[in-house]
Amino acid sequence: MAEEKKKTRILAVDDMKVNLDLISQVLGQMEDSIVVTASDGKTAIRKAKANQFDLILLDVMMPEMDGFAVCKTLKNDTMTREVPVIFLTALSDPQNIQKAFHAGAVDYISKPFSREELLSRVSLHVRLKQNMDELIKAKKEAEAAADAKAIFLANMSHEIRTPMNGIIGTVDILKRTPLNEEQYEYISIIESSGESLLTIINDILDYSKIEAGRVDLEHIRFSISNELTNIMRMLQVVAGKKGLKLEMNLPKDIPDKVIGDPVRLKQIIINLVNNAIKFTEEGKITLSLQLKEQNKLKDALFLFRVTDTGIGIPEEGQKRLFQSFSQVDKSTTRKYGGTGLGLAICKNLSEMMGGEIGVESEPGRGSTFWFTANFDLSDEANVSAHSDDIKAKMHCDVVMSVLLVEDNVINQKVATAFLNFLGQKVEIAHNGLEAVEMVKKKHYDIILMDVQMPVMDGLEATETIRRWEEREGNNQDKLIIVAMTANSLPGDRENYLEAGMNDYVSKPFKEEELISVFKKYKKEH
Ligand code: ADP
């Protein structure tokens, strides 16, 4: 069935009946149009609010309320604001015309008007209004589709991450068991493939989280030079495999101890240096740092540059680089792989840090990717560089009785094996309710609590345990409950603490993080 064509609705306002009759007659010639009339300002406003008009023709000189006042009222009301108004006016001197536009009109027609002019102008504005309506509708639809896409991507990548973590965790455990050389090699292939897959998934998840405004930057004290040195040490291995030199230029005389998000800063630099390594066959890659601006002792803008001697990027390609999902050309995807999200994430993160990002490049000679970031300057005396506190490998000399609350069987196995390796004694509860029952019967030094679980989730279980402790009068010797989370969003941490949890660790476990949690709570015991 053909869709019924929408009629064009026009409101004509004039205190002279002859004018209204003439307008109705002329505009009646327009295809599919309906002309509604009003002979004073108040009636016009009431009718405009009650109906959706495509256009209003408004006389200026009317008793009680003149056309300017009517127009202002219409433009101040959200219901009528978008309807275009054309003035019909005998006062066509520049001052009055300016006044008409100032009041919000889109056009004016001088009185006495010719039939042709009235018809042409009205038809033009109706068409413009219809085009505008279609554009607004299309924009809204595109925005809704983009939102849906971001949410879908975030959900999907989260779903994929969980089993991926299971695979990588199991491989990690398997590597620690006795293996012959061939088996070890195969396991290493699974491990590195799993890790590249996880990087892609994390990129997608990260990108959709940033897009949806669901990322908060940390404010931690750290030393820029320490972070950069650590990154370079790690990437040296990757560059070395391709026979590339990796250099770093760090000026001595610039502030080093700052407050900001070292993890996100590292993420940008690792991305840029990894790209430089990926797209360079011979030569070297240089990371350099410069102070751009300093605002007394308060904050400073730093410029980071990553220069390579690689394939370079043609000028047409440079513009697209920082858009999501874009690569210089299709052959790049085939040859080098990648998602085309890395630089879009870097752009978002540098902007979140009050900076910008850009590239200078010459095909065949190399590229320089640069970005700026603003950091608060910290009190030098008070610095404890966070990442230096945790030594790369720590020895776990703390033994605790652990209650692991986790519903996913694979996660249970991986976590138990991991905790056993660290020399811990582990018991398992399959959901929050089971954990509550077990805690009532036996003392555990620490409870590692998954958050999302069937039957009773981690937050409810924690609240139930805390209430039970209160009833029992155990307020002095409360259990240590630590949330395990695969992917926390801003605000989650507050929810965990509010529910009565002491801390949280990431899932899958990171050795250092878990050991430092064990040490922290052993002391307080
Ligand atoms: P990808 O995951 O595809 O590498 P990025 O957003 O990090 O996504 O990069 C997008 C594209 O920019 C790459 O596919 C490549 O075409 C180009 N590119 C990035 N860095 C460099 C570089 N250092 N030299 C040449 N081309 C680069």
Side-chain angles (χ1 to χ4, degrees):
M1 201 170 69
E3 199 181 311
E4 200 182 315
K5 194 158 183 285
K6 201 177 152 264
K7 292 212 187 304
T8 305
R9 303 176 62 89
I10 299 168
L11 175 65
V13 190
D14 202 308
D15 57 330
M16 308 264 285
K17 190 166 177 305
V18 280
N19 286 343
L20 289 178
D21 289 345
L22 181 60
I23 293 170
S24 302
Q25 195 205 6
V26 174
L27 298 184
Q29 296 168 19
M30 273 172 68
E31 218 184 304
D32 290 315
S33 65
I34 298 175
V35 182
V36 175
T37 58
S39 52
D40 63 78
K42 283 203 176 118
T43 314
I45 292 168
R46 185 173 47 76
K47 288 194 173 174
K49 280 188 182 180
N51 297 280
Q52 279 214 327
F53 287 103
D54 297 293
L55 187 83
I56 299 176
L57 280 169
L58 188 55
D59 184 23
V60 173
M61 284 192 295
M62 291 185 292
E64 279 187 60
M65 197 175 186
D66 71 10
F68 297 130
V70 175
C71 190
K72 276 190 188 148
T73 310
L74 293 172
K75 294 293 155 189
N76 280 330
D77 192 315
T78 45
M79 280 167 75
T80 49
R81 179 180 296 158
E82 304 301 332
V83 188
V85 174
I86 300 181
F87 275 117
L88 291 165
T89 174
L91 308 170
S92 49
D93 57 291
Q95 235 177 353
N96 271 301
I97 290 167
Q98 200 193 356
K99 209 170 156 192
F101 283 114
H102 195 72
V106 292
D107 205 353
Y108 70 96
I109 301 173
S110 309
K111 272 182 175 176
F113 50 82
S114 82
R115 291 163 159 259
E116 291 73 23
E117 186 185 355
L118 177 68
L119 199 55
S120 314
R121 285 198 194 249
V122 168
S123 308
L124 170 70
H125 283 287
V126 165
R127 247 192 348 266
L128 283 176
K129 167 79 165 48
Q130 282 163 350
N131 288 348
M132 185 69 91
D133 286 349
E134 274 166 29
L135 283 177
I136 291 171
K137 190 166 160 251
K139 182 168 173 272
K140 279 196 184 138
E141 282 169 1
E143 281 167 356
D147 282 352
K149 188 181 76 184
I151 293 169
F152 173 76
L153 281 180
N155 289 343
M156 277 313 288
S157 23
H158 191 197
E159 288 302 309
I160 302 170
R161 249 174 79 124
T162 310
M164 242 357 260
N165 283 331
I167 296 173
I168 292 176
T170 317
V171 169
D172 186 40
I173 304 294
L174 201 54
K175 268 187 111 171
R176 297 165 194 238
T177 62
L179 295 171
N180 69 30
E181 211 172 296
E182 197 183 358
Q183 287 169 330
Y184 191 84
E185 198 179 313
Y186 291 148
I187 295 281
S188 303
I189 296 173
I190 303 181
E191 187 177 38
S192 69
S193 312
E195 268 158 12
S196 358
L197 187 53
L198 201 56
T199 311
I200 296 173
I201 299 164
N202 282 343
D203 265 4
I204 300 176
L205 181 61
D206 225 15
Y207 178 74
S208 28
K209 266 165 67 178
I210 294 173
E211 276 284 274
R214 285 154 88 184
V215 166
D216 279 343
L217 292 183
E218 297 267 16
H219 293 272
I220 297 174
R221 254 185 224 111
F222 70 99
S223 141
I224 296 187
S225 63
N226 279 352
E227 294 298 337
L228 296 192
T229 312
N230 286 343
I231 299 173
M232 291 310 256
R233 229 178 262 150
M234 182 180 99
L235 293 169
Q236 204 91 45
V237 184
V238 192
K241 280 189 189 152
K242 279 186 88 176
L244 300 169
K245 261 212 242 153
L246 198 53
E247 288 180 359
M248 180 160 69
N249 289 331
L250 285 186
K252 290 251 169 314
D253 52 347
I254 65 173
D256 185 45
K257 308 291 196 275
V258 296
I259 296 176
D261 194 328
V263 173
R264 295 299 186 172
L265 174 67
K266 275 201 283 199
Q267 189 179 357
I268 305 178
I269 297 173
I270 291 174
N271 234 310
L272 297 184
V273 178
N274 262 332
N275 274 351
I277 297 174
K278 189 158 139 188
F279 296 105
T280 305
E281 292 313 319
E282 57 183 291
K284 66 173 182 184
I285 288 131
T286 314
L287 168 67
S288 61
L289 176 66
Q290 237 176 291
L291 180 67
K292 277 279 297 207
E293 285 164 29
Q294 182 169 351
N295 172 15
K296 297 206 184 103
L297 287 172
K298 255 184 90 229
D299 61 351
L301 190 70
F302 295 87
L303 170 67
F304 300 80
R305 296 163 65 88
V306 177
T307 304
D308 65 51
T309 54
I311 59 171
I313 303 155
E315 210 175 322
E316 323 84 72
Q318 291 178 20
K319 295 190 197 87
R320 287 200 308 271
L321 280 186
F322 300 98
Q323 291 165 13
S324 45
F325 309 107
S326 94
Q327 297 182 324
V328 171
D329 59 36
K330 290 207 177 72
S331 63
T332 314
T333 323
R334 284 196 297 274
K335 190 164 170 203
Y336 298 98
T339 52
L341 278 180
L343 290 175
I345 294 175
C346 292
K347 179 171 188 282
N348 278 318
L349 290 177
S350 60
E351 283 169 2
M352 284 173 75
M353 295 184 187
E356 343 165 67
I357 195 164
V359 63
E360 291 144 22
S361 181
E362 214 182 301
R365 309 209 74 178
S367 317
T368 295
F369 279 85
W370 60 265
F371 71 95
T372 51
N374 194 75
F375 291 115
D376 286 342
L377 297 177
S378 70
D379 175 0
E380 296 263 339
N382 215 352
V383 170
S384 69
H386 93 117
S387 50
D388 299 346
D389 291 348
I390 305 168
K391 297 279 173 293
K393 283 257 178 260
M394 282 176 28
H395 176 64
C396 188
D397 49 9
V398 180
V399 179
M400 304 248 233
S401 57
V402 183
L403 176 63
L404 178 76
V405 192
E406 165 73 66
D407 61 307
N408 183 304
V409 182
I410 296 175
N411 286 348
Q412 278 172 11
K413 288 205 172 123
V414 174
T416 311
F418 193 88
L419 290 164
N420 286 337
F421 265 109
L422 291 180
Q424 309 300 322
K425 287 179 281 178
V426 189
E427 285 180 37
I428 294 173
H430 297 82
N431 58 56
L433 192 62
E434 222 177 285
V436 174
E437 294 308 319
M438 288 170 81
V439 158
K440 285 183 185 168
K441 291 194 195 114
K442 187 177 164 187
H443 174 83
Y444 297 92
D445 295 327
I446 193 161
I447 301 171
L448 295 175
M449 180 85 82
D450 188 20
V451 178
Q452 280 173 9
M453 285 181 293
V455 188
M456 183 188 276
D457 70 20
L459 296 182
E460 198 185 335
T462 305
E463 283 163 355
T464 312
I465 293 173
R466 294 301 183 220
R467 278 199 300 273
W468 169 76
E469 284 177 330
E470 225 157 86
R471 277 201 307 275
E472 296 286 301
N474 285 0
N475 283 339
Q476 295 308 314
D477 189 23
K478 282 190 174 176
L479 285 163
I480 305 299
I481 306 180
V482 176
M484 297 186 290
T485 114
N487 161 43
S488 70
L489 294 173
D492 282 354
R493 215 180 295 181
E494 288 74 20
N495 289 341
Y496 303 154
L497 300 182
E498 211 168 286
M501 292 179 167
N502 301 70
D503 219 320
Y504 70 97
V505 292
S506 48
K507 205 168 73 168
F509 298 138
K510 293 195 184 71
E511 199 164 344
E512 314 86 61
E513 196 184 6
L514 205 57
I515 294 175
S516 65
V517 163
F518 284 165
K519 290 199 166 169
K520 181 168 163 191
Y521 292 105
K522 188 70 190 175
K523 260 185 244 150
E524 288 178 9
H525 246 60

